[in-house]
Amino acid sequence: MKDCATVLQDFNGGASVIALFVNQHQFFIDRSQLVTEEVAGDTEAWEKLADPDAEPVKVEPSLQSLIDEVKVVVQEESAIIRRAFPYYEQVLGKFLQRVFQQSIQQRLEMALEKANDISPLAFLRSLQSSRNYISALVDDLKSHGLTENPDPISAQTALVLDQQLEDLFVPYFVGSSYIEREKKTLEELYTSILFRFTTFHSRRKKAVTTFMASLSKSGTELLTSARDTYISRLESSEFSATHRRILLQVAGLRESNDVLRPTDVKLVEEDGLPSIAYAKRMLKWLAEGVGRSLELSITSETPKDMLALLSLLLSMMGEGYIEVCLDAALEAATSQESGKMEPDFAYLAAVRGAIGITNLMVMCINTLLIPLAAGSITVRKEMEKKTSLITVRIEEKVNAVERKTIDATLMWGTMPLGWKNCRLRTIVLSLSSSGTNLRQLLTDVALGLRSLLLEHFKRFSVNGPGGLMVTKDMTQYTNLLKSWDVDEQAKAPGGALDVLLEVGSLFVIGSEALRERVRGGTASAAGARSGSNTTGSTRNPGVTGSTEAGLSIQEVRAYVSRREDSNTPAMQNVLNFLVYFKNTTTEEKKKNKQDHS
């Protein structure tokens, strides 16, 4: 046969004998009908392929069977071709082209078409598994050596194999078609999982009355628009029955009618809260898409693909999920600024969830998306800028909620304080479960309440029995505030909170003891603090931001003058002594300053 092939090579380069050998090969005859058979497969396997939370199954069984047979046939035929043809590499190349371009390509197209009919995710997963399996076939054939076995495969044959593999999948990666499929699939899944959340907050939104309120609408409007588009597509024939069922399952809905009539969906408060579990699922789906993109897409396009996925993530999770939660929390906090009723901090649970989701999102971006864009400095900088902008915006909203929370607490605290001691513990327990920047928040509230108490007892006269009650109340307030998770410096012995104990004692100690205390410096330790208090809130005059302990001479005199016995000769002597002590201290400071100069 080799001699015949050598002779026939003189006629049109042996094309006729090569065509005869390839076309009449038993493999193509046996497989001609099998290749065109309809793709069936297990229904459960196809549904798993479409389920984003299920592990993707392996390559489609009929395609896998074909590829396994191709591997055996090509290896066997390589030995025959080597013996039968003097120009064996040319013959092997034609044989490989026929195998890939006819048998494998036809079956691949049918398998992918079937997957696409199931759902976009099923198509992408099937595309990935098919590419991996066919790529493994190419690697195995190269390792075998084919006509060069047991020696390494020739460069020409290796080039043919690589080219055939690439040609199989070129139609699926034209332009940005692939990454657009990934984005569309993720957007559908994100819209589904956030469906109840979006519906809840679209009902909550009130009429816009201010410019800032109009800005806060953007996140909700974004998700509402995506939801409306999603609903219109569900109504069409674009979605298969399996695809529609999977999306309804992700959305937590039992029937498609619930989606088509969102106003009739029964919702609970939890539907409006951010869910760490949902965020993890969303990031898991994103990570799967990123991994698939790295395997299938062209390396030079990776930075652009990562930018596209980042934009989707920031839009859906950042603006449409996290910021909507914070806008709702800010609205709830603002509504309680009047101080007419005890603050309800239930909205802080949403802030806690939003902060947790933000941390997860930023971690994913910094460890997964941005590093993969290292090949393009321009794209990487753009990704970092986008991430920074939304992170700053989220931080500003969290800070705004905390400021409103402190203001609402202290505004309520400006009402009569005597009956509130027991209620303060309830409030702090609510704050403690918020998970926000707790220590700083509680420290600000504690110092604010401390200042309110100090101002409160400057306004009312106190008699002897009342002084005992003030001392008792101040002790309870101090113990309560120190029981919170506040700054250690504030609750340490001699810290800012101990000033309350000092004030309480000013209403009960005798004149001589008071004189000795001033003379001993106990009450004058903070003379330098006189007049230096600053307000921590423009809505609550007298709320100080200072954390220094001790009382100034002026403050001691103010409290002593509120005692009912302040007009007695003994107490008048104390008050005069305080004036003298203040003047003496001032002169000593001036003298020390001059000496130092």
Side-chain angles (χ1 to χ4, degrees), residues 130-316:
S130 300
R131 171 70 179 262
N132 289 341
Y133 207 76
I134 297 174
S135 179
L137 167 67
V138 170
D139 292 339
D140 289 341
L141 294 179
K142 288 180 180 179
S143 299
H144 180 270
L146 300 182
T147 53
E148 308 301 322
N149 181 271
D151 295 329
I153 194 170
S154 67
Q156 180 180 341
T157 304
L159 184 62
V160 170
L161 287 170
D162 290 337
Q163 188 62 48
Q164 294 305 311
L165 174 63
E166 183 177 345
D167 290 346
L168 278 178
F169 294 93
V170 164
Y172 308 107
F173 300 98
V174 176
S176 60
S177 59
Y178 167 73
I179 197 63
E180 289 300 323
R181 278 181 178 269
E182 287 283 4
K183 284 180 59 180
K184 182 179 178 182
T185 301
L186 282 173
E187 186 174 356
E188 287 178 354
L189 293 174
Y190 285 2
T191 305
S192 294
I193 199 171
L194 299 180
F195 182 84
R196 300 180 73 90
F197 173 85
T198 309
T199 304
F200 181 94
H201 285 279
S202 64
R203 295 178 185 177
R204 176 190 61 81
K205 294 303 291 182
K206 306 294 191 300
V208 177
T209 56
T210 65
F211 173 70
M212 292 304 295
S214 67
L215 293 180
S216 70
K217 286 188 65 179
S218 60
T220 305
E221 289 179 344
L222 173 73
L223 273 189
T224 302
S225 175
R227 185 199 64 185
D228 293 342
T229 304
Y230 164 80
I231 291 173
S232 64
R233 292 183 63 201
L234 274 182
E235 291 178 310
S236 68
S237 58
E238 182 179 351
F239 286 179
S240 67
T242 302
H243 189 196
R244 185 180 291 107
R245 183 168 61 255
I246 291 295
L247 292 181
L248 291 175
Q249 177 183 318
V250 171
L253 303 173
R254 295 183 178 180
E255 300 178 0
S256 59
N257 289 338
D258 290 339
V259 176
L260 305 183
R261 296 194 304 271
T263 55
D264 297 336
V265 178
K266 294 181 180 179
L267 301 173
V268 295
E269 287 295 325
E270 286 73 14
D271 291 324
L273 296 177
S275 168
I276 297 291
Y278 281 6
K280 288 181 178 179
R281 288 172 69 188
M282 294 169 73
L283 294 176
K284 179 185 176 183
W285 300 338
L286 175 71
E288 180 185 329
V290 170
R292 186 163 45 240
S293 175
L294 291 177
E295 288 186 19
L296 300 178
S297 189
I298 303 173
T299 305
S300 61
E301 297 297 321
T302 297
K304 293 182 180 179
D305 292 350
M306 295 304 104
L307 175 60
L309 294 177
L310 173 73
S311 299
L312 176 67
L313 180 65
L314 294 180
S315 173
M316 299 294 288

Side-chain angles (χ1 to χ4, degrees), residues 502 517-528 550-553 556 581 585:
E502 187 175 343
R517 175 173 294 188
V518 174
R519 183 177 294 159
T522 304
S524 62
L551 296 171
S552 68
I553 297 298
V556 172
F581 192 89
T585 304

Side-chain angles (χ1 to χ4, degrees), residues 565-578:
D565 61 351
S566 61
N567 291 325
T568 62
M571 292 306 298
Q572 284 294 316
N573 287 335
V574 172
L575 292 174
N576 293 334
F577 176 75
L578 288 172

Side-chain angles (χ1 to χ4, degrees), residues 90-108:
Q90 182 182 355
V91 178
L92 179 61
K94 293 294 183 181
F95 184 72
L96 290 173
Q97 288 178 10
R98 178 70 181 274
V99 168
F100 276 85
Q101 294 177 11
Q102 179 176 316
S103 301
I104 295 180
Q105 183 172 343
Q106 286 181 5
R107 200 61 191 172
L108 174 64

